[in-house]
Amino acid sequence: MATLSPTLTIMIRAAEKAGRVLVRDFGEVEQLQVSRKGPGDFVTAADKRAEEIIFEELQKARPDYSFLMEEGGKVEGKDPDNAWIIDPIDGTHNFMHGIPHWCISIALESKGKILAGVIYDPAKDELFYAEKGMGAFLRGGKRLRASGRNDLESCVVATGYTGKDPAYRTAFVNALNDIIEDAPMIRRFGSAALDLAYIAAGRLDGYYEMLIKPWDVAAGILLVREAGGMVSSINDRSDPVYSGNIIAANTHIHGDLLKILQSAGKKAA
Ligand code: 2AM
Ligand code: CA
């Protein structure tokens, strides 16, 4: 993509502005590890501040658009057909522990379709972006493509786990048990948005997670699809942005992973 569209330009500007502040905060967090209370409250404040920066930037550029944000929830604008979906820090626990693997995720949803997505990893200064029908790219213009690996044994597959519900814990462990039988190289990085960006970049071959929110995945889903990968829900054909569960992979292994996860789900039922 030679020149960025106005929409992407706005989104990237907002992500980079918040990213500059978050990088400074992240430096502080490293200092706070030794304090007994830890950096929890500080990170909550940083998270909210970053979301406000993104909100203000986007609202300035598109005053009528609506918002769906991890911290602020839904903000209905005059234009309900267009909504920004925002996660100011995806990978909050990494951020809190001084682990440089977290990102800002911003998507534009228009009449139920994700039209643009930006995922910015400020600690590594990597910015991934995509626009519907235009492909997925790394900042600087490098085109992203999902990997071509097709045997699960040589694939790197990421997953995520959150929550304390014992039933969900059992479901997660059972699914993982079945996955590692065929795909032993599993990873758990702690940022759903970056997992998806890495599939788009061909670094990861697959990713699945069972409890997930729209702001974790909206931008990443577009990135994966625009890079030639596949994304679906695990259980049915519902839209993975909103279904709360997701499987994303290159086209060769998406079906294999889906089969394993669906049969693990049936065994549990
Ligand atoms: P967060 O860092 O913004 O909280 C890790 O597996 C992924 O799950 C991260 O993207 C993380 O986003 C997300 N996550 C953490 N807690 C969650 C919850 N209670 N519900 C849904 N997603 C969650
Ligand atoms: Ca998140």
Side-chain angles (χ1 to χ4, degrees), residues 32 42 56 60 69 81 85 110 165 194 200 226 266:
L32 291 169
F42 178 81
E56 278 168 19
K60 208 164 56 187
M69 301 173 281
D81 286 341
I85 304 178
S110 187
D165 175 8
L194 282 178
E226 288 297 322
K266 281 193 196 110

Side-chain angles (χ1 to χ4, degrees), residues 67-268:
F67 287 83
L68 175 62
M69 301 173 281
E70 176 163 31
E71 301 301 322
K74 248 186 175 156
V75 175
E76 193 85 34
K78 277 190 211 139
D79 179 354
D81 286 341
N82 286 291
W84 303 110
I85 304 178
I86 301 167
D87 194 343
I89 308 179
D90 186 57
T92 320
H93 290 282
N94 286 340
F95 188 98
M96 207 179 297
H97 286 252
I99 298 168
H101 194 75
W102 47 272
C103 67
I104 294 162
S105 174
I106 306 175
L108 173 63
E109 183 185 61
S110 187
K111 293 186 179 163
K113 289 207 159 54
I114 306 297
L115 293 191
V118 168
I119 293 177
Y120 181 37
D121 173 345
K124 302 183 202 75
D125 196 24
E126 280 194 312
L127 189 139
F128 307 82
Y129 63 89
E131 204 156 18
K132 196 170 168 54
M134 306 295 280
F137 299 84
L138 199 55
R139 186 173 49 202
K142 183 177 176 274
R143 179 129 199 196
L144 300 177
R145 292 198 192 282
S147 71
R149 285 184 205 91
N150 61 8
D151 73 302
L152 285 178
E153 204 168 348
S154 64
C155 285
V156 176
V157 176
T159 187
Y161 176 77
T162 49
K164 296 194 174 98
D165 175 8
Y168 171 55
R169 189 172 66 222
T170 304
F172 174 82
V173 170
N174 288 344
L176 187 63
N177 192 47
D178 287 0
I179 287 280
I180 57 175
E181 193 175 331
D182 293 327
M185 279 198 278
I186 55 119
R187 299 288 186 275
R188 199 285 189 207
F189 289 115
S191 163
L194 282 178
D195 288 341
L196 290 165
Y198 281 20
I199 291 186
R203 298 174 185 174
L204 283 173
D205 306 294
Y207 157 73
Y208 69 94
E209 187 153 357
M210 288 181 252
L211 277 182
I212 209 77
K213 301 282 189 199
W215 45 81
D216 300 322
V217 295
I221 287 174
L222 182 66
L223 271 157
V224 171
R225 288 182 173 153
E226 288 297 322
M230 285 175 81
V231 190
S232 70
S233 294
I234 297 172
N235 309 323
D236 51 36
R237 301 178 76 85
S238 56
D239 181 353
V241 175
Y242 292 101
S243 67
N245 63 85
I246 185 170
I247 167 161
N250 76 35
T251 51
H252 310 285
I253 67 160
H254 182 274
D256 299 335
L257 291 178
L258 190 59
K259 213 151 72 185
I260 296 168
L261 291 171
Q262 286 183 339
S263 96
K266 281 193 196 110
K267 267 193 271 175

